[in-house]
Amino acid sequence: TLTISKAALTVAADNKSRFYGSANPTLTYRYIGFVNGDSTTTGAVTGTPTISTTALNTSNAGSYPITMGTGNLASTNYAITAANGTLTVNKALLTVTARDSSRAYGAANPTFTATYGDGFAAGDGPGTLPTPVITCLATATSPGGTYPIRIAPVTSPDYAVSVADGSLT
C-alpha cells in the first residue's frame, strides 16, 4: 500500500504598513507550499480565507496583528494552515516652525510662537502635542541684527516631529 499524505500549504498574511491617521491598506495574503504546478487557478484549493486587523485609522503608532484564518478553504491534496502578519502603524510626519518675530533695540523679546505643518491626522491638532519650548539668546541689550529662534525637539507617540528655527530681527 502506498499512502499519499496531503502536502502542507500555508495561507500567509502579507505584512503591511501605513502612517498614523491613514486608512488601513488592503490586506493581502499569499500561499506557500504549492507543488506539481498547482495554484489557486488550477483548482488545487477552493474557498476563501479570512483576514482582518484590529487597527483603526485612529490607532496609535505601533504594531498590530493581521489575523489570517483558513475560512472555508478546502483541498483534496493540501493540509492548509494559516500564518498571521503584522500591520505597522508608523508615526505621521509633522513640522513645527518657530514664527519669525521682530522688536526694537532695548525692548524685551516678544512671546515666541510656532506654526504647525499640515501633518495632523485623525482629528488631532496642536493640543495633541506638548507645548513646544521656544527660545532665543537675544536679550534687550543685544545689538541690532538677526538671531535664531529655536524650538527644542518635540516628542510624540504618534508623530515624527521635525522642528524649524525662526528669526528674531
Side-chain angles (χ1 to χ4, degrees):
T1 302
L2 173 63
T3 303
I4 299 175
S5 301
K6 289 185 174 191
L9 181 69
T10 302
V11 58
D14 294 321
N15 293 329
K16 297 289 183 170
S17 66
R18 66 167 175 86
F19 287 102
Y20 167 72
S22 298
N24 285 336
T26 300
L27 302 178
T28 57
Y29 57 89
R30 66 194 180 290
Y31 290 94
I32 303 166
F34 278 123
V35 295
N36 296 331
D38 286 343
S39 69
T40 55
T41 58
T42 64
V45 173
T46 59
T48 306
T50 59
I51 189 168
S52 63
T53 184
T54 57
L56 305 172
N57 72 321
T58 55
S59 294
N60 297 93
S63 295
Y64 297 86
I66 298 175
T67 304
M68 190 81 232
T70 57
N72 65 355
L73 292 175
S75 177
T76 303
N77 295 322
Y78 293 95
I80 305 169
T81 58
N84 295 332
T86 301
L87 173 64
T88 302
V89 177
N90 297 304
K91 291 182 176 191
L93 306 176
L94 180 68
T95 301
V96 179
T97 304
R99 280 195 175 105
D100 292 337
S101 295
S102 62
R103 65 167 175 83
Y105 170 75
N109 285 340
T111 299
F112 299 120
T113 59
T115 61
Y116 298 85
D118 295 332
F120 283 113
D124 292 345
T128 307
L129 297 176
T131 302
V133 176
I134 307 171
T135 59
C136 181
L137 296 179
T139 65
T141 59
S142 296
T146 302
Y147 298 86
I149 301 171
R150 304 218 188 264
I151 297 182
V154 178
T155 59
S156 167
D158 294 320
Y159 293 95
V161 181
S162 61
V163 294
D165 294 341
S167 295
L168 172 66
T169 304

